[in-house]
């Protein structure tokens, strides 16, 4: 069997990795359009040992997908490279939002739900209790914002959910699908008539057994909240690359697929230099990129793939001398109704020690990229916006020792309302046309690193 994996991000790398285990005697090739693998995961270490993370920086260990990644890490013999953030640390507990000119700490423990904390006008427990009696609505899907406003009220939608959706997918909660991004909460309303009731039933229910591994036990024992690696998150894709190469996967960098032809259950796949024939294709590139490659032969499939659009995110990493954060934590998010050009700031040096200095990452754009930056022409403009906001909000007067601006083009797919139907239609088309094609990656069933690794395993 000859197979090709398209895309060398963590999704493509893990697809190739699991294929080497599942079909060990096949010939596996991987094409990556750029000069490196790892995709958006890129950790840049400077001569002083300061790490600038370009996009994703931590992984969550506590879910089926999180447990699967821990298993993979153990298989890759990376357990000793892990750097956890423990649940009782400020970086795990202190999450802030910037509302009406001030930073506010979000409730972080069951007790804090009983206290009134600004910007909320009442204790959050009141919204949860009221939610019991809100009539349920039979729906197939809804924007997350509408769902939360209907169930918990406008403050939860504005101050909790909208910023959280910015953090997860740099998206607008008024457009993102609740079914797809918050499937459990959606299911609770549909099954129990109330989210709060669903949460309680879920807490009392017998937990599904997660795959056992010694790393998983260690994580539970030590109470990790999230984790990365001592040399940054890129440790993971780098190691997968090394392992799959050693197992015989033929890796081709700077190799951009230009066209795919489906010929009697065989594929003819073109790149800038040559053409190859393969029995099966695993596409982990963005659905909108794949749409272009299949358009000539399968225009209907192409139109469906194009429906899943991604947004640009601008990242500005800043490095200052000394410890400048007065209230340590994970960082802060800016709810969209504040109408500011930044989405949030991560306090990297509060999460992982950075030689006693302060390292911050400012995230900008996402759904609002065009609104704020359509006329920007150079990195300096992004840097100035980021620095001015950081200085003002965090009361920093110093100038950074170094910085880096990165524009991540089409970085996060947006699962808008109707995403489920689009996925079903795509799967239906591939099945009926008997295309030797498997789809994986951020565009389909989860945008997180854990999600795409699990999806690769389950292909
Ligand atoms: C390029 C920017 C990215 C933003 N989100 C993601 C990237 C790559 C992907 C992402 N981030 C989170 C998740 C949820 C599941 C997980 O794997 O952890 C995903 C898929 C978590 C997250 N990251 C930030 C926040 C505030 C959150 C929410 C949950 C939490 O509080 O831990 C930081 C952050 N990420 C983005 C922005 C704008 C931002 C703001 C500080 C976009």
């Amino acid at each position: 069997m000859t197979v090709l994996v398209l895309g060398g991000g963590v999704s493509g790398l893990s697809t190739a990795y699991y294929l080497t285990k599942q079909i060990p005697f096949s010939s596996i090739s991987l094409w990556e359009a750029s000069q490196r693998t790892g995709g958006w995961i890129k950790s840049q270490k400077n001569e002083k040992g300061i790490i600038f993370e370009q996009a994703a920086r931590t992984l969550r260990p506590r879910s089926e997908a999180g447990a699967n990644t821990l298993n993979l890490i153990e298989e890759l013999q990376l357990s000793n490279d892990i750097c956890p953030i423990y649940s009782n640390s400020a970086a795990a507990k202190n999450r802030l939002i910037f509302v009406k000119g001030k930073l506010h700490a979000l409730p972080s423990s069951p007790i804090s739900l009983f206290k009134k904390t600004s910007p909320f006008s009442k204790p959050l427990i009141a919204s949860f209790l009221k939610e019991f009696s809100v009539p349920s609505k039979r729906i197939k899907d809804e924007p997350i914002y509408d769902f939360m406003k209907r169930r918990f009220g406008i403050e939860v939608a504005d101050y909790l959910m909208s910023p959280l959706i910015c953090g997860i997918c740099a998206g607008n909660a008024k457009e993102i699908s609740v079914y797809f991004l918050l499937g459990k909460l959606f299911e609770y309303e549909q099954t129990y008539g109330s989210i709060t009731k669903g949460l309680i039933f879920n807490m009392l229910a017998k937990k599904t057994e997660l795959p056992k591994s010694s790393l998983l036990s260690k994580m539970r024992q030590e109470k990790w909240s999230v984790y990365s690696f001592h040399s940054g998150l890129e440790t993971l894709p780098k190691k997968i690359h090394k392992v799959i190469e050693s197992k015989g996967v033929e890796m081709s960098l700077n190799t951009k697929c230009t066209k795919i032809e489906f010929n009697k259950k065989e594929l003819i796949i073109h790149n800038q230099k040559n053409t190859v024939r393969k029995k099966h294709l695993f596409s982990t590139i963005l659905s909108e990129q794949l749409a272009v490659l299949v358009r000539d032969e399968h225009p209907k499939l192409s139109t469906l793939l194009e429906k899943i659009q991604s947004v640009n995110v601008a990242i500005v990493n800043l490095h200052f001398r000394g410890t400048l954060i007065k209230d340590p934590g994970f960082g802060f998010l800016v709810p969209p109704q504040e109408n500011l050009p930044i989405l949030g700031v991560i306090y990297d040096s509060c999460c992982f020690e950075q030689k006693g200095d302060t390292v911050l990452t400012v995230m900008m754009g996402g759904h609002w990229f065009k609104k704020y930056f359509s006329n920007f022409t150079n990195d300096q403009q992004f840097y100035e916006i980021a620095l001015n906001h950081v200085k003002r909000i965090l009361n920093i007067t110093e100038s950074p020792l170094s910085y880096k601006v990165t524009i991540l083009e089409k970085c996060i797919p947006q699962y808008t309302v109707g995403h489920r139907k689009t996925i079903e239609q795509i799967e239906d088309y591939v099945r009926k046309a008997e295309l030797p094609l498997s789809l994986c990656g951020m565009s389909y069933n989860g945008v997180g690193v854990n999600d795409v690794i699990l999806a690769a395993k389950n292909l």
Side-chain angles (χ1 to χ4, degrees), residues 55-56 60 95 164 166-168 315 330 332-333 343-346 363 408 411-412 447-448:
R60 291 190 169 273
R95 286 175 151 69
L164 183 70
C166 285
I168 296 175
I315 307 282
F330 175 77
F332 67 85
L333 282 155
L343 299 172
V345 176
I346 299 167
M363 305 267 192
L408 307 175
C411 155
I412 312 186
V447 294

Side-chain angles (χ1 to χ4, degrees), residues 58-205:
T58 50
L59 298 175
R60 291 190 169 273
R62 287 170 196 279
S63 62
E64 188 201 346
N68 178 61
T69 306
L70 286 179
N71 272 342
L72 171 66
I73 288 169
E74 207 163 1
E75 284 175 16
L76 296 168
Q77 298 178 352
L78 280 179
S79 305
N80 292 336
D81 297 73
I82 284 185
C83 189
I85 297 182
Y86 300 103
S87 303
N88 61 359
S89 66
K93 290 203 300 197
N94 197 14
R95 286 175 151 69
L96 304 143
I97 52 170
F98 185 71
V99 173
K100 295 181 189 133
K102 268 195 193 157
L103 287 172
H104 307 263
L106 289 171
S108 63
S109 66
I111 289 178
S112 60
L113 296 177
F114 291 84
K115 288 187 201 141
K116 184 184 110 45
T117 45
S118 61
F120 298 95
S121 60
K122 51 184 187 259
L124 269 181
I125 191 72
S127 308
F128 277 86
L129 292 175
K130 198 166 161 240
E131 196 267 343
F132 269 119
S133 55
V134 174
S136 64
K137 198 169 148 188
R138 284 250 149 250
I139 46 165
K140 288 221 164 98
D141 201 355
E142 192 177 29
I144 288 181
Y145 186 89
D146 298 10
F147 176 79
M148 291 315 259
K149 187 175 159 200
R150 189 164 60 70
R151 304 274 349 146
F152 292 104
I154 194 160
E155 288 187 351
V156 171
D158 276 340
Y159 301 140
L160 275 186
M161 228 5 110
S162 291
L164 183 70
I165 298 308
C166 285
I168 296 175
C169 65
N172 184 356
K174 292 184 175 166
E175 293 184 3
I176 301 292
S177 155
V178 66
Y179 173 84
F180 235 90
L181 224 68
L182 298 178
K184 273 265 171 267
L185 304 193
F186 172 81
E187 190 190 307
Y188 291 156
E189 183 189 34
Q190 299 302 306
T191 313
Y192 304 102
S194 149
I195 298 172
T196 316
K197 226 189 248 180
L199 287 170
I200 294 169
F201 273 107
N202 185 51
M203 272 192 296
L204 300 175

Side-chain angles (χ1 to χ4, degrees), residues 176-241:
I176 301 292
S177 155
V178 66
Y179 173 84
F180 235 90
L181 224 68
L182 298 178
K184 273 265 171 267
L185 304 193
F186 172 81
E187 190 190 307
Y188 291 156
E189 183 189 34
Q190 299 302 306
T191 313
Y192 304 102
S194 149
I195 298 172
T196 316
K197 226 189 248 180
L199 287 170
I200 294 169
F201 273 107
N202 185 51
M203 272 192 296
L204 300 175
K206 208 169 158 252
K207 295 274 171 281
T208 40
E209 278 287 301
L210 292 175
K212 294 218 169 18
S213 77
S214 53
L215 196 52
L216 198 64
S217 312
K218 186 171 187 239
M219 174 278 288
R220 287 207 183 106
Q221 217 171 25
E222 295 181 358
K223 297 197 172 70
W224 303 355
S225 166
V226 293
Y227 64 94
S228 179
F229 299 90
H230 294 295
S231 296
L233 198 56
E234 200 180 344
T235 304
L236 180 60
K238 274 186 177 162
K239 186 66 187 260
I240 309 177
H241 182 138

